[in-house]
Protein backbone atom coordinates (compact mmCIF):
# COMPACT_ATOMS: atom_id res chain seq x y z
CA UNK A 1 0.00 0.00 0.00
CA UNK A 2 1.32 3.45 -0.92
CA UNK A 3 1.40 6.04 1.83
CA UNK A 4 1.43 9.76 1.45
CA UNK A 5 4.70 11.65 1.92
CA UNK A 6 5.20 12.75 5.51
CA UNK A 7 5.01 16.44 4.57
CA UNK A 8 1.37 15.87 3.59
CA UNK A 9 0.55 13.78 6.61
CA UNK A 10 0.59 16.67 9.03
CA UNK A 11 -0.19 20.33 8.90
CA UNK A 12 1.41 21.03 12.24
CA UNK A 13 4.89 22.06 13.15
CA UNK A 14 7.35 19.53 14.36
CA UNK A 15 10.21 17.41 13.14
CA UNK A 16 8.98 15.22 10.28
CA UNK A 17 11.08 12.23 9.26
CA UNK A 18 11.41 11.08 5.70
CA UNK A 19 11.41 12.96 2.37
CA UNK A 20 10.10 16.52 2.28
CA UNK A 21 8.07 18.21 -0.43
CA UNK A 22 9.26 21.64 0.72
CA UNK A 23 11.11 23.29 3.57
CA UNK A 24 13.20 21.33 6.09
CA UNK A 25 12.76 19.55 9.36
CA UNK A 26 12.81 22.82 11.34
CA UNK A 27 10.26 24.48 9.09
CA UNK A 28 8.23 21.92 7.12
CA UNK A 29 5.47 24.41 6.34
CA UNK A 30 1.74 23.72 6.14
CA UNK A 31 0.76 20.22 5.08
CA UNK A 32 -2.19 21.46 2.99
CA UNK A 33 -2.76 24.25 0.45
CA UNK A 34 -4.39 27.48 1.51
CA UNK A 35 -8.14 27.20 1.94
CA UNK A 36 -10.64 29.11 -0.17
CA UNK A 37 -11.72 31.40 2.69
CA UNK A 38 -8.04 32.16 3.38
CA UNK A 39 -7.42 33.27 -0.20
CA UNK A 40 -10.61 35.34 -0.31
CA UNK A 41 -9.86 37.00 3.06
CA UNK A 42 -6.28 37.88 2.08
CA UNK A 43 -7.43 39.27 -1.27
CA UNK A 44 -10.18 41.32 0.40
CA UNK A 45 -7.70 42.79 2.89
CA UNK A 46 -5.37 43.67 0.01
CA UNK A 47 -8.22 45.49 -1.76
CA UNK A 48 -9.00 47.41 1.45
CA UNK A 49 -5.34 48.43 1.76
CA UNK A 50 -5.18 49.54 -1.87
CA UNK A 51 -8.19 51.82 -1.42
CA UNK A 52 -7.60 53.01 2.15
CA UNK A 53 -3.86 53.54 2.69
CA UNK A 54 -2.64 57.15 2.27
CA UNK A 55 0.91 56.44 1.16
CA UNK A 56 2.48 59.82 1.88
CA UNK A 57 0.94 60.69 5.27
CA UNK A 58 -0.69 59.36 8.44
CA UNK A 59 -4.43 58.82 8.37
CA UNK A 60 -7.31 56.62 9.38
CA UNK A 61 -6.72 54.42 6.34
CA UNK A 62 -3.76 52.80 8.08
CA UNK A 63 -5.95 51.78 11.02
CA UNK A 64 -8.63 50.39 8.68
CA UNK A 65 -5.97 48.38 6.84
CA UNK A 66 -4.52 47.00 10.09
CA UNK A 67 -7.96 45.84 11.21
CA UNK A 68 -8.71 44.28 7.80
CA UNK A 69 -5.35 42.48 7.74
CA UNK A 70 -5.81 41.13 11.27
CA UNK A 71 -9.30 39.90 10.39
CA UNK A 72 -7.91 38.14 7.29
CA UNK A 73 -5.26 36.35 9.36
CA UNK A 74 -7.91 35.28 11.88
CA UNK A 75 -9.92 33.77 9.03
CA UNK A 76 -6.81 32.04 7.67
CA UNK A 77 -6.15 30.51 11.08
CA UNK A 78 -9.77 29.59 11.78
CA UNK A 79 -10.36 27.92 8.38
CA UNK A 80 -7.18 26.02 7.49
CA UNK A 81 -6.76 24.05 4.28
CA UNK A 82 -7.80 20.42 4.18
CA UNK A 83 -5.31 17.63 3.73
CA UNK A 84 -5.07 16.19 0.26
CA UNK A 85 -4.71 12.71 1.78
CA UNK A 86 -5.78 11.21 5.14
CA UNK A 87 -3.55 12.26 8.01
CA UNK A 88 -1.60 9.29 9.31
CA UNK A 89 0.49 11.14 11.88
CA UNK A 90 -1.19 13.61 14.21
CA UNK A 91 0.73 16.45 15.76
CA UNK A 92 -0.34 18.72 18.56
CA UNK A 93 -1.53 22.00 17.08
CA UNK A 94 0.63 25.06 17.56
CA UNK A 95 -1.38 27.59 19.51
CA UNK A 96 1.61 29.88 19.96
CA UNK A 97 2.23 31.85 23.09
CA UNK A 98 -0.61 33.17 25.20
CA UNK A 99 0.29 36.78 24.49
CA UNK A 100 -0.12 36.40 20.72
CA UNK A 101 -3.35 38.41 20.64
CA UNK A 102 -1.83 41.15 22.79
CA UNK A 103 0.99 41.60 20.26
CA UNK A 104 -1.55 41.70 17.42
CA UNK A 105 -3.57 44.32 19.31
CA UNK A 106 -0.39 46.36 19.86
CA UNK A 107 0.24 46.29 16.11
CA UNK A 108 -3.23 47.69 15.44
CA UNK A 109 -2.76 50.40 18.08
CA UNK A 110 0.62 51.42 16.62
CA UNK A 111 -0.80 51.76 13.11
CA UNK A 112 -3.78 53.56 14.60
CA UNK A 113 -1.49 56.33 15.89
CA UNK A 114 -1.75 57.86 12.41
CA UNK A 115 -5.44 58.46 13.03
CA UNK A 116 -4.81 60.76 15.99
CA UNK A 117 -1.32 62.25 15.50
CA UNK A 118 -0.16 64.22 12.46
CA UNK A 119 3.58 63.99 13.22
CA UNK A 120 5.06 62.01 10.35
CA UNK A 121 8.24 61.06 12.25
CA UNK A 122 6.18 59.60 15.09
CA UNK A 123 4.00 57.58 12.75
CA UNK A 124 7.01 56.19 10.86
CA UNK A 125 8.53 55.11 14.18
CA UNK A 126 5.24 53.45 15.19
CA UNK A 127 5.03 51.76 11.78
CA UNK A 128 8.54 50.31 12.13
CA UNK A 129 7.87 49.07 15.67
CA UNK A 130 4.54 47.69 14.42
CA UNK A 131 6.41 45.37 12.06
CA UNK A 132 8.30 44.02 15.09
CA UNK A 133 5.15 43.42 17.15
CA UNK A 134 3.49 41.77 14.14
CA UNK A 135 6.45 39.40 13.72
CA UNK A 136 6.39 38.55 17.43
CA UNK A 137 2.66 37.77 17.23
CA UNK A 138 3.49 35.20 14.54
CA UNK A 139 6.49 33.70 16.33
CA UNK A 140 6.45 30.59 18.48
CA UNK A 141 9.80 31.39 20.10
CA UNK A 142 10.51 33.22 23.35
CA UNK A 143 14.21 34.08 23.29
CA UNK A 144 15.60 37.19 21.64
CA UNK A 145 17.30 35.06 18.99
CA UNK A 146 14.05 33.26 18.14
CA UNK A 147 12.21 36.58 17.83
CA UNK A 148 14.94 38.02 15.59
CA UNK A 149 14.87 34.93 13.37
CA UNK A 150 11.08 35.14 13.07
CA UNK A 151 11.42 38.75 11.91
CA UNK A 152 14.08 37.80 9.36
CA UNK A 153 12.03 34.87 8.01
CA UNK A 154 9.16 37.05 6.77
CA UNK A 155 10.67 37.52 3.26
CA UNK A 156 11.30 33.75 3.02
CA UNK A 157 7.74 33.09 4.17
CA UNK A 158 6.50 35.38 1.39
CA UNK A 159 8.42 33.36 -1.21
CA UNK A 160 7.18 30.03 0.18
CA UNK A 161 3.68 31.36 0.72
CA UNK A 162 2.99 32.18 -2.93
CA UNK A 163 3.12 28.51 -4.06
CA UNK A 164 0.97 27.69 -1.02
CA UNK A 165 -1.64 30.17 -2.31
CA UNK A 166 -1.20 28.87 -5.87
CA UNK A 167 -1.95 25.30 -4.78
CA UNK A 168 -5.02 26.58 -2.99
CA UNK A 169 -6.19 28.31 -6.16
CA UNK A 170 -5.67 25.11 -8.11
CA UNK A 171 -7.90 23.31 -5.66
CA UNK A 172 -10.50 26.08 -5.99
CA UNK A 173 -10.61 25.59 -9.76
CA UNK A 174 -11.71 22.01 -9.25
CA UNK A 175 -14.41 23.08 -6.77
CA UNK A 176 -17.81 23.99 -8.12
CA UNK A 177 -18.59 26.50 -5.35
CA UNK A 178 -15.13 28.00 -5.14
CA UNK A 179 -14.35 28.41 -8.84
CA UNK A 180 -12.47 31.66 -9.56
CA UNK A 181 -14.97 32.39 -12.35
CA UNK A 182 -17.80 32.27 -9.83
CA UNK A 183 -15.90 34.46 -7.37
CA UNK A 184 -15.09 37.07 -10.03
CA UNK A 185 -18.66 36.97 -11.27
CA UNK A 186 -19.98 37.55 -7.76
CA UNK A 187 -17.66 40.54 -7.32
CA UNK A 188 -18.67 42.07 -10.67
CA UNK A 189 -22.39 41.71 -9.96
CA UNK A 190 -21.93 43.26 -6.50
CA UNK A 191 -20.02 46.24 -7.90
CA UNK A 192 -22.60 46.83 -10.66
CA UNK A 193 -25.51 46.71 -8.22
CA UNK A 194 -23.85 49.05 -5.74
CA UNK A 195 -22.86 51.47 -8.50
CA UNK A 196 -26.29 51.63 -10.14
CA UNK A 197 -28.36 51.96 -6.99
CA UNK A 198 -25.81 54.26 -5.33
CA UNK A 199 -25.95 56.63 -8.30
CA UNK A 200 -29.75 56.66 -8.17
CA UNK A 201 -29.77 57.44 -4.44
CA UNK A 202 -27.15 60.16 -4.97
CA UNK A 203 -29.27 61.86 -7.61
CA UNK A 204 -32.27 61.71 -5.28
CA UNK A 205 -30.65 63.28 -2.17
CA UNK A 206 -27.91 65.93 -1.94
CA UNK A 207 -26.65 64.83 1.48
CA UNK A 208 -26.29 61.23 0.33
CA UNK A 209 -24.64 62.48 -2.86
CA UNK A 210 -21.85 64.13 -0.84
CA UNK A 211 -21.23 60.95 1.15
CA UNK A 212 -21.37 58.82 -2.01
CA UNK A 213 -18.94 61.12 -3.83
CA UNK A 214 -16.50 60.99 -0.91
CA UNK A 215 -16.67 57.18 -0.72
CA UNK A 216 -16.58 56.52 -4.47
CA UNK A 217 -13.06 55.57 -5.64
CA UNK A 218 -11.06 57.70 -8.04
CA UNK A 219 -10.42 55.72 -11.24
CA UNK A 220 -7.63 57.82 -12.77
CA UNK A 221 -4.67 55.97 -14.26
CA UNK A 222 -2.14 56.98 -11.59
CA UNK A 223 -4.61 55.99 -8.87
CA UNK A 224 -5.12 52.56 -10.43
CA UNK A 225 -1.34 52.04 -10.57
CA UNK A 226 -1.13 52.95 -6.88
CA UNK A 227 -3.93 50.53 -6.07
CA UNK A 228 -2.21 47.68 -7.91
CA UNK A 229 1.09 48.40 -6.17
CA UNK A 230 -0.39 48.70 -2.66
CA UNK A 231 -2.71 45.74 -3.13
CA UNK A 232 0.10 43.54 -4.42
CA UNK A 233 2.49 44.46 -1.60
CA UNK A 234 -0.22 43.96 1.03
CA UNK A 235 -1.24 40.58 -0.41
CA UNK A 236 2.37 39.33 -0.36
CA UNK A 237 2.93 40.54 3.22
CA UNK A 238 -0.33 39.00 4.46
CA UNK A 239 0.48 35.77 2.63
CA UNK A 240 3.80 35.60 4.47
CA UNK A 241 2.04 36.24 7.78
CA UNK A 242 -0.63 33.59 7.09
CA UNK A 243 2.04 31.07 6.07
CA UNK A 244 4.01 31.73 9.27
CA UNK A 245 0.87 31.52 11.37
CA UNK A 246 -0.24 28.26 9.74
CA UNK A 247 3.08 26.53 10.38
CA UNK A 248 5.72 28.54 12.26
CA UNK A 249 9.28 27.19 12.26
CA UNK A 250 10.40 25.05 15.15
CA UNK A 251 12.25 27.26 17.64
CA UNK A 252 14.49 24.37 18.74
CA UNK A 253 17.87 25.51 20.00
CA UNK A 254 17.03 29.15 19.32
CA UNK A 255 15.10 29.25 22.59
CA UNK A 256 18.08 28.02 24.57
CA UNK A 257 19.35 31.04 26.49
CA UNK A 258 22.53 29.44 27.77
CA UNK A 259 25.65 28.98 25.66
CA UNK A 260 29.01 27.31 26.17
CA UNK A 261 30.18 28.05 29.69
CA UNK A 262 33.50 29.65 30.53
CA UNK A 263 35.54 29.59 33.72
CA UNK A 264 34.78 32.03 36.50
CA UNK A 265 38.08 33.83 36.01
CA UNK A 266 37.35 34.52 32.35
CA UNK A 267 34.20 36.50 33.13
CA UNK A 268 34.29 37.49 36.81
CA UNK A 269 37.65 39.30 36.72
CA UNK A 270 36.88 41.60 33.73
CA UNK A 271 33.38 42.35 35.00
CA UNK A 272 34.66 42.86 38.55
CA UNK A 273 37.11 45.48 37.29
CA UNK A 274 34.28 47.05 35.31
CA UNK A 275 32.20 47.24 38.50
CA UNK A 276 35.06 49.11 40.22
CA UNK A 277 35.27 51.57 37.32
CA UNK A 278 31.51 52.11 37.43
CA UNK A 279 31.69 52.60 41.19
CA UNK A 280 34.34 55.31 40.85
CA UNK A 281 32.32 57.13 38.20
CA UNK A 282 29.12 56.91 40.26
CA UNK A 283 30.92 58.30 43.32
CA UNK A 284 32.00 61.35 41.32
CA UNK A 285 28.51 61.70 39.83
CA UNK A 286 26.97 61.76 43.29
CA UNK A 287 29.37 64.57 44.25
CA UNK A 288 28.28 66.55 41.19
CA UNK A 289 24.58 65.91 41.80
CA UNK A 290 24.76 67.02 45.43
CA UNK A 291 27.21 69.84 44.73
CA UNK A 292 24.95 71.36 42.08
CA UNK A 293 25.68 74.29 39.80
CA UNK A 294 28.34 76.01 41.94
CA UNK A 295 30.47 72.86 42.15
CA UNK A 296 30.46 72.38 38.37
CA UNK A 297 31.23 76.03 37.59
CA UNK A 298 34.10 76.18 40.11
CA UNK A 299 35.72 72.85 39.19
CA UNK A 300 35.05 72.52 35.47
CA UNK A 301 34.76 76.12 34.29
CA UNK A 302 31.55 75.28 32.44
CA UNK A 303 27.94 76.25 32.85
CA UNK A 304 25.78 73.49 34.26
CA UNK A 305 23.90 73.17 30.95
CA UNK A 306 27.18 72.82 29.01
CA UNK A 307 28.35 70.19 31.48
CA UNK A 308 25.08 68.29 31.06
CA UNK A 309 25.29 68.38 27.27
CA UNK A 310 28.92 67.22 27.18
CA UNK A 311 28.24 63.84 28.76
CA UNK A 312 24.70 62.78 27.99
CA UNK A 313 25.37 60.89 24.78
CA UNK A 314 28.37 59.07 26.26
CA UNK A 315 26.26 57.92 29.21
CA UNK A 316 23.58 56.64 26.82
CA UNK A 317 26.26 54.62 25.01
CA UNK A 318 27.47 53.25 28.36
CA UNK A 319 23.93 52.11 29.19
CA UNK A 320 23.48 50.30 25.87
CA UNK A 321 26.90 48.59 26.07
CA UNK A 322 26.22 47.53 29.66
CA UNK A 323 23.03 45.76 28.58
CA UNK A 324 25.07 43.87 25.95
CA UNK A 325 27.67 42.91 28.57
CA UNK A 326 24.98 41.72 30.98
CA UNK A 327 23.35 39.60 28.26
CA UNK A 328 26.68 37.99 27.36
CA UNK A 329 27.57 37.26 30.98
CA UNK A 330 24.16 35.73 31.64
CA UNK A 331 24.64 33.43 28.65
CA UNK A 332 28.22 32.24 29.23
CA UNK A 333 28.82 32.48 32.98
CA UNK A 334 28.57 29.10 34.81
CA UNK A 335 25.83 28.59 37.39
CA UNK A 336 26.08 24.93 38.35
CA UNK A 337 27.20 25.35 41.96
CA UNK A 338 25.81 27.63 44.70
CA UNK A 339 29.11 29.57 44.64
CA UNK A 340 28.74 30.17 40.89
CA UNK A 341 25.23 31.51 41.38
CA UNK A 342 26.22 33.79 44.27
CA UNK A 343 29.12 35.20 42.24
CA UNK A 344 26.87 35.73 39.23
CA UNK A 345 24.22 37.53 41.26
CA UNK A 346 26.80 39.71 43.03
CA UNK A 347 28.74 40.86 39.97
CA UNK A 348 25.83 41.32 37.57
CA UNK A 349 23.60 42.80 40.26
CA UNK A 350 26.27 45.35 41.22
CA UNK A 351 26.87 46.26 37.58
CA UNK A 352 23.14 46.68 36.89
CA UNK A 353 22.58 48.74 40.06
CA UNK A 354 25.50 51.07 39.29
CA UNK A 355 24.25 51.47 35.73
CA UNK A 356 20.88 52.54 37.10
CA UNK A 357 22.65 55.41 38.86
CA UNK A 358 24.29 56.31 35.54
CA UNK A 359 20.87 56.28 33.89
CA UNK A 360 19.59 58.64 36.56
CA UNK A 361 22.59 60.92 35.97
CA UNK A 362 21.95 60.95 32.21
CA UNK A 363 18.29 61.79 32.68
CA UNK A 364 19.21 64.56 35.15
CA UNK A 365 21.66 66.01 32.63
CA UNK A 366 19.02 65.98 29.89
CA UNK A 367 16.50 67.67 32.19
CA UNK A 368 18.95 70.48 32.96
CA UNK A 369 19.88 70.82 29.29
CA UNK A 370 16.28 71.04 28.07
CA UNK A 371 15.44 73.60 30.78
CA UNK A 372 18.16 75.83 29.33
CA UNK A 373 17.97 75.17 25.59
CA UNK A 374 14.46 73.85 25.12
CA UNK A 375 12.93 70.54 24.12
CA UNK A 376 13.36 68.92 20.69
CA UNK A 377 12.22 65.69 19.15
CA UNK A 378 15.65 64.11 19.41
CA UNK A 379 16.12 65.12 23.05
CA UNK A 380 12.66 63.87 23.99
CA UNK A 381 13.06 60.57 22.15
CA UNK A 382 16.52 59.84 23.53
CA UNK A 383 15.41 60.67 27.07
CA UNK A 384 12.50 58.22 26.68
CA UNK A 385 14.91 55.54 25.42
CA UNK A 386 17.23 56.14 28.36
CA UNK A 387 14.33 55.81 30.80
CA UNK A 388 13.35 52.54 29.07
CA UNK A 389 16.91 51.27 29.45
CA UNK A 390 16.60 51.97 33.16
CA UNK A 391 13.40 49.93 33.29
CA UNK A 392 15.10 47.05 31.49
CA UNK A 393 17.97 47.17 33.99
CA UNK A 394 15.44 46.98 36.82
CA UNK A 395 13.96 43.88 35.22
CA UNK A 396 17.46 42.41 34.93
CA UNK A 397 17.87 42.88 38.70
CA UNK A 398 14.53 41.13 39.28
CA UNK A 399 15.51 38.29 36.94
CA UNK A 400 18.76 37.82 38.86
CA UNK A 401 16.86 36.58 41.89
CA UNK A 402 16.28 33.19 40.23
CA UNK A 403 18.88 33.57 37.43
CA UNK A 404 16.27 32.45 34.94
CA UNK A 405 14.47 34.93 32.76
CA UNK A 406 12.78 33.33 29.77
CA UNK A 407 10.18 36.05 30.13
CA UNK A 408 12.65 38.95 29.95
CA UNK A 409 12.99 39.49 26.13
CA UNK A 410 9.26 39.68 25.46
CA UNK A 411 8.53 41.76 28.55
CA UNK A 412 11.38 44.16 27.74
CA UNK A 413 10.07 44.65 24.20
CA UNK A 414 6.51 44.99 25.52
CA UNK A 415 7.54 47.79 27.89
CA UNK A 416 9.28 49.54 24.99
CA UNK A 417 6.12 49.27 22.89
CA UNK A 418 4.01 50.61 25.74
CA UNK A 419 6.48 53.49 26.18
CA UNK A 420 6.14 54.38 22.49
CA UNK A 421 2.34 54.24 22.69
CA UNK A 422 2.51 56.42 25.82
CA UNK A 423 4.69 58.91 23.95
CA UNK A 424 2.12 59.03 21.14
CA UNK A 425 -0.67 59.61 23.66
CA UNK A 426 1.35 62.44 25.24
CA UNK A 427 1.57 64.13 21.80
CA UNK A 428 5.33 64.89 21.55
CA UNK A 429 5.14 67.77 19.06
CA UNK A 430 2.61 69.51 21.29
CA UNK A 431 4.87 68.94 24.32
CA UNK A 432 7.76 70.54 22.41
CA UNK A 433 5.56 73.51 21.48
CA UNK A 434 4.37 73.94 25.07
CA UNK A 435 7.99 73.85 26.26
CA UNK A 436 8.90 76.52 23.70
CA UNK A 437 6.01 78.75 24.80
CA UNK A 438 7.06 78.41 28.44
CA UNK A 439 10.71 79.16 27.58
CA UNK A 440 9.70 82.25 25.57
CA UNK A 441 7.68 83.57 28.47
CA UNK A 442 10.70 83.15 30.76
CA UNK A 443 13.57 84.23 28.49
CA UNK A 444 12.00 85.92 25.43
CA UNK A 445 13.97 83.43 23.29
CA UNK A 446 12.37 81.33 20.57
CA UNK A 447 13.64 79.13 17.74
CA UNK A 448 11.33 80.02 14.84
CA UNK A 449 13.14 77.80 12.35
CA UNK A 450 12.75 74.66 14.43
CA UNK A 451 9.21 75.34 15.62
CA UNK A 452 8.03 75.98 12.05
CA UNK A 453 9.17 72.44 11.17
CA UNK A 454 6.83 70.84 13.71
CA UNK A 455 3.70 68.98 12.65
CA UNK A 456 0.13 70.34 12.88
CA UNK A 457 -0.06 68.68 16.33
CA UNK A 458 1.86 71.70 17.67
CA UNK A 459 -0.52 74.39 16.36
CA UNK A 460 -2.99 74.50 19.31
CA UNK A 461 -0.12 74.95 21.80
CA UNK A 462 1.60 77.64 19.70
CA UNK A 463 -1.65 79.62 19.63
CA UNK A 464 -0.86 80.44 23.28
CA UNK A 465 2.13 82.59 22.34
CA UNK A 466 1.64 86.30 23.13
CA UNK A 467 0.49 88.36 20.18
CA UNK A 468 3.47 90.63 20.64
CA UNK A 469 5.78 87.68 19.91
CA UNK A 470 6.67 86.25 16.47
CA UNK A 471 3.40 84.31 16.78
CA UNK A 472 1.94 85.50 13.48
CA UNK A 473 5.02 84.48 11.47
CA UNK A 474 5.17 81.06 13.07
CA UNK A 475 1.48 80.24 12.72
CA UNK A 476 1.37 81.54 9.16
CA UNK A 477 4.28 79.30 8.17
CA UNK A 478 2.66 76.28 9.81
CA UNK A 479 -0.67 77.09 8.16
CA UNK A 480 1.00 77.25 4.75
CA UNK A 481 2.53 73.79 5.23
CA UNK A 482 -0.70 72.03 6.24
CA UNK A 483 -1.29 69.15 3.79
CA UNK A 484 -4.24 69.36 1.45
CA UNK A 485 -7.33 67.29 2.12
CA UNK A 486 -6.98 63.85 0.51
CA UNK A 487 -10.39 62.47 1.39
CA UNK A 488 -11.52 60.16 4.14
CA UNK A 489 -8.46 57.90 3.99
CA UNK A 490 -6.15 60.64 5.32
CA UNK A 491 -8.48 61.89 8.06
CA UNK A 492 -6.36 62.79 11.08
CA UNK A 493 -7.43 64.27 14.41
CA UNK A 494 -4.26 66.35 14.84
CA UNK A 495 -4.74 67.93 11.43
CA UNK A 496 -8.41 68.64 12.15
CA UNK A 497 -7.53 70.32 15.46
CA UNK A 498 -4.90 72.48 13.76
CA UNK A 499 -7.31 73.64 11.06
CA UNK A 500 -10.00 74.37 13.63
CA UNK A 501 -7.57 76.41 15.77
CA UNK A 502 -6.39 78.48 12.79
CA UNK A 503 -9.97 78.97 11.58
CA UNK A 504 -11.09 80.18 15.02
CA UNK A 505 -8.25 82.74 15.19
CA UNK A 506 -7.13 83.49 11.59
CA UNK A 507 -3.60 84.74 11.05
CA UNK A 508 -2.91 87.20 8.24
CA UNK A 509 0.33 87.00 6.30
CA UNK A 510 2.92 89.13 8.11
CA UNK A 511 4.77 91.79 6.18
CA UNK A 512 8.13 90.84 7.74
CA UNK A 513 9.17 87.43 9.15
CA UNK A 514 12.55 86.79 10.72
Amino acid sequence: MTTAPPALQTGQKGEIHGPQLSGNRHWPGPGAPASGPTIVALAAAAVVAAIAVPVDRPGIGWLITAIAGTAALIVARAVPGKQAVPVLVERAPDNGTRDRFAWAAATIVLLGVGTFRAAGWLFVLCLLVGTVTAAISLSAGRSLRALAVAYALVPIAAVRGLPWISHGLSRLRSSRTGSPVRIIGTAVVSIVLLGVFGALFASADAAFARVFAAAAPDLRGDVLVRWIFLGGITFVVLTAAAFLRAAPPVAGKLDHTEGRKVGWMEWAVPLGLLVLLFGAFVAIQLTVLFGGVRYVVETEGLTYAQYARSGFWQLCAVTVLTLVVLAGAARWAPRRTPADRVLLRTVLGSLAALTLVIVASALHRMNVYTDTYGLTRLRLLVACCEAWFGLVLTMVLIAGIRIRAAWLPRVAIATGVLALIGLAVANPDRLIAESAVDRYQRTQLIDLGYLSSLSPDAVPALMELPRSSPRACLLWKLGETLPEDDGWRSWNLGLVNARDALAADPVARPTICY
Side-chain angles (χ1 to χ4, degrees), residues 72-315:
L73 294 179
I74 291 174
V75 171
R77 180 62 177 171
V79 191
K82 296 182 179 180
Q83 300 287 343
V85 295
V87 178
L88 302 180
V89 180
E90 291 286 350
R91 301 282 185 186
D94 169 44
N95 294 319
T97 55
R98 296 179 179 179
D99 55 2
R100 185 184 300 276
F101 293 105
W103 290 108
T107 304
I108 295 175
V109 171
L110 288 169
L111 267 67
V113 167
T115 305
F116 304 98
R117 297 289 175 258
W121 69 272
L122 177 64
F123 179 68
V124 170
L125 183 59
C126 289
L127 188 62
L128 293 175
V129 175
T131 64
V132 176
T133 57
I136 295 176
S137 71
L138 300 170
S139 171
R142 290 185 174 274
S143 69
L144 194 58
R145 286 194 304 165
L147 299 178
V149 167
Y151 191 83
L153 285 179
V154 172
I156 301 175
V159 174
R160 293 185 61 186
L162 293 178
W164 178 60
I165 294 291
S166 177
H167 294 157
L169 286 172
S170 299
R171 180 173 291 186
L172 277 179
R173 293 192 190 99
S174 62
S175 171
R176 297 183 61 185
T177 58
S179 171
V181 175
R182 290 176 176 269
I183 295 174
I184 294 173
T186 301
V188 170
V189 171
S190 301
I191 293 173
V192 169
L193 289 176
L194 291 175
V196 170
F197 284 94
L200 290 173
F201 285 134
S203 62
D205 184 82
F208 183 83
R210 288 193 296 269
V211 175
F212 186 76
D218 188 354
L219 299 179
R220 292 177 303 172
D222 59 330
V223 175
L224 292 176
V225 171
R226 187 188 69 181
W227 284 4
I228 294 171
F229 174 76
L230 287 176
I233 292 295
T234 303
F235 186 80
V236 171
V237 170
L238 289 178
T239 296
F243 186 89
L244 275 171
R245 186 67 186 93
V250 180
K253 295 182 179 179
L254 291 176
D255 266 345
H256 294 173
T257 57
E258 298 184 22
R260 182 183 64 85
K261 302 304 180 184
V262 298
W264 69 269
M265 183 181 297
E266 298 172 79
W267 74 270
V269 172
L271 264 65
L273 295 174
L274 193 62
V275 167
L276 294 177
L277 176 63
F278 275 46
F281 181 83
V282 166
I284 295 175
Q285 287 301 294
L286 292 176
T287 303
V288 173
L289 289 175
F290 287 112
V293 178
R294 178 177 298 180
Y295 177 87
V296 173
V297 172
E298 292 177 353
T299 58
E300 304 294 336
L302 302 172
T303 67
Y304 202 54
Q306 291 171 334
Y307 178 81
R309 180 185 182 183
S310 65
F312 175 77
W313 301 105
Q314 294 89 330
L315 295 185

Side-chain angles (χ1 to χ4, degrees), residues 430-446 451 458-466 474:
R430 180 159 186 162
L431 290 177
I432 294 169
E434 290 173 346
S435 173
V437 171
D438 178 69
R439 180 168 177 258
Y440 178 80
Q441 292 172 345
R442 289 186 291 107
T443 65
Q444 299 299 303
L445 296 175
I446 190 168
L451 293 177
V459 170
L462 294 174
M463 299 291 290
E464 301 300 320
L465 281 169
L474 183 56

Side-chain angles (χ1 to χ4, degrees), residues 427-511:
N427 199 347
D429 275 16
R430 180 159 186 162
L431 290 177
I432 294 169
E434 290 173 346
S435 173
V437 171
D438 178 69
R439 180 168 177 258
Y440 178 80
Q441 292 172 345
R442 289 186 291 107
T443 65
Q444 299 299 303
L445 296 175
I446 190 168
D447 188 347
L448 287 177
Y450 183 79
L451 293 177
S452 62
S453 68
L454 295 179
S455 71
D457 291 331
V459 170
L462 294 174
M463 299 291 290
E464 301 300 320
L465 281 169
R467 292 186 179 275
S468 58
S469 68
R471 175 179 181 272
C473 285
L474 183 56
L475 293 176
W476 179 78
K477 288 180 180 179
L478 286 171
E480 287 294 303
T481 59
L482 291 181
E484 297 180 359
D485 188 11
D486 190 32
W488 61 270
R489 64 182 61 82
S490 60
W491 186 92
N492 178 275
L493 181 62
L495 189 56
V496 170
N497 290 338
R499 286 175 176 155
D500 290 345
L502 292 174
D505 188 4
V507 177
R509 179 172 182 173
T511 55

Side-chain angles (χ1 to χ4, degrees), residues 409-428:
R410 282 180 175 257
V411 174
I413 296 174
T415 56
V417 172
L418 290 175
L420 179 57
I421 294 174
L423 180 64
V425 172
N427 199 347

